[in-house]
Amino acid sequence: MRIAETSDLWWKNAVIYCLDVETFFDDDGDGTGDFAGLTQRVDYLSALGVTCIWLMPFYPSPDRDDGYDVTDFFTVDSRLGTMGDLVEFIRSAKDRGMRVIADFVVNHTSNQHPWFVEARKSKDNPYRDYFVWRSDTPPDTSSEVVFPGEQTSLWTKDEPTGEWYLHMFAEHQPDLNVTNPKVRNEIAKAMGLWLELGLDGFRLDAVPFFLETRGQPKDEAANRDPHEYLSALRSFLGRRNGSAVMLGEVNLPYKEQLEYFGGAEGNELNMQFDFMTMQHLYLSLARQDARPLTENLKSRPPLHPDNQWAMFVRNHDELTLDKLNDAERQEVFAAFGPEKNMQIYGRGLRRRLPPMLGGDAERIRMVYSLMFSLPGTPVLFYGEEIGMGEDLRQKSRAAVRTPMQWNSTRNGGFSSAKASDLVVPLARGEYGPANVNASAAKRDPDSLWNFMAKLIQRYRESPELGWGEFAVIDQPEPGVFAHTCTSDGATMVLLHNFGTSTVKITGKVGPEDGPKRAFRGATLLDVLDGDNVPLEPDGGFSVELGRYGYRWFRVQQPGDRLAP
């Protein structure tokens, strides 16, 4: 891997920052964030080091599901601004060297979408087959619902025609029939529009669900490979914008995730979120034992060189723990969400990281150091860089979607509107804007914001982390996760202590059967401004890690001409 190659697949060592326009910054003072406000905060994101902004849905919507219930795929919700405002934002972001991707919802629409309004009028309506219907009474699907307690079935009877329509999510979100060529054409046209206006790709919502062929005639479903559609979408994006990316939400075991990458061909999703690593990270944190994370990463399959994992510790949904077994999930609940109000759907948490870790600055920094050092592309959720907390007064997943906290003034600097007019109330208490805000954090050299900015800078200077081959370093401490990332002869050594006790790590760089003097005169060069560590000729080393300690090193051989 040459440095010049890293720009070919820009997203393999990007820093992605997810935000919701309506909760980021309000320019016109109506209580709802907007694109004009987001444009004013582009320099803030650039200063942090963000290289790609991921926009949550900004399309017209009744907003019953935070914008994921779309009524028009071809324009901007008027609450957030105009198409012109969007284009000005994209232009401003690109001027600062940042790309922009956006959520795209292929699985469903709002029941207020004109397509569904027409489809429900009659069985022979031209838009009927844009959605999935059945005439016979559906079986009990209560055990399959995505949101237990909020759904009771995947089918709802529509009185005008007496038939049932499919909705893998809420009943106000009817599923699109993506086997219909007309639907595929509309989706392609919408994606083509946004690419033409300057987007660099899409985060695809709920990918396994929109490839679902449930409700289709069995003979038709048997003759259709849903993954052909995903491959066709990838080809379409490649034709319209050769560097565009598809980042997919696929919360499945690794073996199944490989199918959504396109298997050996690697020709479907470019990237997928690594839900398995995220969940085992929290199990390791709960136990203060790195072994669950270690074993999970050892099981992670290799990918096609053009594919990539997206790494995260928090996102905009519930912090799902569904891939842990019941006992493991209860361990995490007990450690980080012991109250029922902190839990959701019986499988996840509706909390942000700092409150879960009791505000322990050392532990919080260790977790983010680990996230940036794991092989993959780091994804941040807005407010993580300043240590925002959740608001458990809010319903469901809205607890972690409170407005961005800019300063300690009224409404946290988010909006000049009356507090009662805000699109979402601000968080209160210990993690409210009086104590946690971007203005104070930027000006404090010891803040989480400045730590995160340094991590981002070092990550961007270390392409091995996004492109390299991952390997676990065998060492005796169960509380320590030690690994290397190697690419084109360059090796990073990363160490993280999950425990509270100081430990001395002894390990070895390189294979056990490697040359005995391959590292003669070599050094572990500290990347995070600590002391360098000499390497033994056979690659052996010894490093002390304090409470929740972390170290990043690059192997420097005699004669290497590394950048300062």
Side-chain angles (χ1 to χ4, degrees):
M1 181 271 302
R2 297 181 302 112
I3 292 297
E5 294 174 356
T6 60
S7 59
D8 293 337
L9 303 176
W10 59 267
W11 34 267
K12 288 198 69 168
N13 62 326
V15 177
I16 301 175
Y17 187 98
C18 172
L19 62 87
D20 190 349
V21 177
E22 73 172 10
T23 56
F24 204 61
F25 186 67
D26 172 22
D27 176 65
D28 60 14
D30 66 354
T32 298
D34 42 49
F35 275 108
L38 177 55
T39 302
Q40 291 186 38
R41 292 296 184 260
V42 161
D43 287 323
Y44 167 85
L45 297 174
S46 177
L48 182 62
V50 171
T51 67
C52 177
I53 301 169
W54 156 20
L55 302 174
M56 290 171 65
F58 55 78
Y59 318 102
S61 167
D63 212 25
R64 294 181 64 183
D65 185 21
D66 214 10
Y68 287 90
D69 47 333
V70 178
T71 58
D72 187 345
F73 291 108
F74 293 90
T75 191
V76 173
D77 193 313
S78 60
R79 299 177 308 117
L80 309 179
T82 65
M83 295 280 273
D85 294 327
L86 169 66
V87 170
E88 285 195 342
F89 157 67
I90 293 173
R91 180 176 175 82
S92 299
K94 294 199 171 188
D95 178 62
R96 275 74 170 178
M98 292 181 286
R99 291 177 167 86
V100 181
I101 64 174
D103 257 299
F104 200 84
V105 187
V106 182
N107 183 66
H108 55 258
T109 69
S110 164
N111 61 0
Q112 298 180 36
H113 193 291
W115 298 344
F116 192 69
V117 172
E118 286 295 314
R120 69 197 314 182
K121 287 181 178 178
S122 67
K123 296 179 183 180
D124 58 359
N125 188 279
Y127 288 93
R128 188 70 171 182
D129 289 339
Y130 276 44
F131 300 89
V132 181
W133 301 86
R134 65 184 298 156
S135 56
D136 58 320
T137 303
D140 180 7
T141 54
S142 58
S143 63
E144 302 177 62
V145 297
V146 177
F147 303 131
E150 297 178 16
Q151 287 176 272
T152 57
S153 175
L154 302 181
W155 297 90
T156 291
K157 189 173 186 178
D158 199 44
E159 293 304 332
T161 61
E163 292 192 332
W164 287 261
Y165 63 87
L166 179 67
H167 53 87
M168 299 300 293
F169 294 90
E171 67 177 73
H172 63 84
Q173 295 170 309
D175 275 24
L176 284 165
N177 175 13
V178 296
T179 66
N180 185 340
K182 292 181 180 179
V183 171
R184 294 188 179 194
N185 187 50
E186 293 288 351
I187 290 169
K189 283 196 296 184
M191 286 185 162
L193 168 69
W194 301 118
L195 290 174
E196 202 68 23
L197 290 179
L199 287 190
D200 296 284
F202 303 93
R203 179 264 186 185
L204 296 184
D205 185 56
V207 177
F209 293 100
F210 79 72
L211 295 187
E212 172 70 59
T213 57
R214 185 192 301 258
Q216 301 300 315
K218 289 185 178 181
D219 55 341
E220 290 186 22
N223 292 327
R224 295 181 186 272
D225 179 0
H227 286 276
E228 287 183 1
Y229 179 44
L230 206 52
S231 176
L233 273 183
R234 168 84 172 265
S235 296
F236 172 77
L237 261 66
R239 293 193 300 272
R240 294 296 180 92
N241 179 346
S243 64
V245 66
M246 289 200 308
L247 168 58
E249 180 192 26
V250 182
N251 180 16
L252 292 172
Y254 286 136
K255 183 178 180 180
E256 295 173 63
Q257 283 191 277
L258 282 179
E259 297 179 29
Y260 290 85
F261 279 121
E265 298 294 322
N267 62 345
E268 295 183 28
L269 294 171
N270 304 91
M271 303 178 70
Q272 291 181 53
F273 294 100
D274 190 347
F275 283 92
M276 295 292 291
T277 290
M278 180 275 291
Q279 296 183 47
H280 286 86
L281 165 62
Y282 279 96
L283 182 59
S284 279
L285 288 171
R287 293 178 176 176
Q288 297 193 354
D289 185 335
R291 286 174 292 187
L293 176 65
T294 301
E295 293 307 310
N296 174 77
L297 282 166
K298 283 182 176 180
S299 74
R300 191 164 76 164
L303 300 179
H304 186 281
D306 290 353
N307 295 148
Q308 179 68 306
W309 296 106
M311 312 307 297
F312 67 106
V313 298
R314 195 64 185 90
N315 62 11
H316 59 292
D317 290 328
E318 76 272 13
L319 197 156
T320 184
L321 304 167
D322 65 326
K323 297 300 181 291
L324 302 181
N325 64 41
D326 290 343
E328 293 168 339
R329 190 178 308 112
Q330 290 305 318
E331 284 186 69
V332 180
F333 281 168
F336 304 128
E339 300 174 18
K340 279 294 182 183
N341 189 37
M342 298 172 176
Q343 303 166 19
I344 185 170
Y345 306 136
R347 64 174 183 248
L349 294 166
R350 57 192 208 103
R351 307 194 71 196
R352 282 184 179 254
L353 181 70
M356 282 195 284
L357 300 188
D360 190 320
E362 292 177 328
R363 200 177 189 192
I364 292 167
R365 293 181 186 213
M366 185 277 289
V367 172
Y368 283 115
S369 169
L370 176 64
M371 184 189 82
F372 275 91
S373 73
L374 290 173
T377 298
V379 181
L380 292 170
F381 184 45
Y382 76 93
E384 280 193 272
E385 73 279 11
I386 60 173
M388 279 176 56
E390 72 277 355
D391 182 358
L392 294 175
R393 298 173 302 158
Q394 305 305 313
K395 292 182 179 179
S396 188
R397 299 178 291 180
V400 299
R401 300 178 182 179
T402 56
M404 180 65 182
Q405 298 168 192
W406 293 105
N407 55 46
S408 59
T409 65
R410 187 167 64 92
N411 296 330
F414 161 69
S415 174
S416 59
K418 295 186 297 183
S420 59
D421 290 337
L422 297 185
V423 62
V424 181
L426 271 97
R428 296 179 182 175
E430 181 182 358
Y431 291 92
N435 300 308
V436 177
N437 66 75
S439 178
K442 277 193 70 177
R443 288 160 177 77
D444 178 1
D446 297 321
S447 70
L448 180 60
W449 192 97
N450 278 293
F451 173 75
M452 200 82 80
K454 183 169 79 170
L455 277 182
I456 290 173
Q457 182 182 18
R458 298 297 188 267
Y459 168 81
R460 291 286 292 169
E461 293 171 349
S462 306
E464 301 95 330
L465 299 178
W467 290 74
E469 181 180 348
F470 162 83
V472 171
I473 297 175
D474 290 327
Q475 49 80 36
E477 293 294 335
V480 172
F481 179 68
H483 73 285
T484 59
C485 289
T486 301
S487 180
D488 195 29
T491 297
M492 298 282 294
V493 177
L494 302 310
L495 310 174
H496 291 83
N497 182 10
F498 281 71
T500 57
S501 300
T502 297
V503 292
K504 191 169 186 178
I505 308 305
T506 56
K508 185 177 180 181
V509 178
E512 288 295 329
D513 57 354
K516 297 299 183 184
R517 306 187 71 80
F519 294 93
R520 184 176 183 178
T523 300
L524 291 180
L525 187 68
D526 192 282
V527 175
L528 296 179
D529 307 324
D531 295 329
N532 298 338
V533 173
L535 274 174
E536 298 295 329
D538 65 351
F541 65 87
S542 178
V543 176
E544 187 174 276
L545 290 180
R547 176 184 185 273
Y548 302 130
Y550 48 88
R551 302 291 298 272
W552 289 23
F553 298 104
R554 175 174 281 111
V555 175
Q556 183 176 27
Q557 294 276 17
D560 284 349
R561 302 177 66 186
L562 302 179

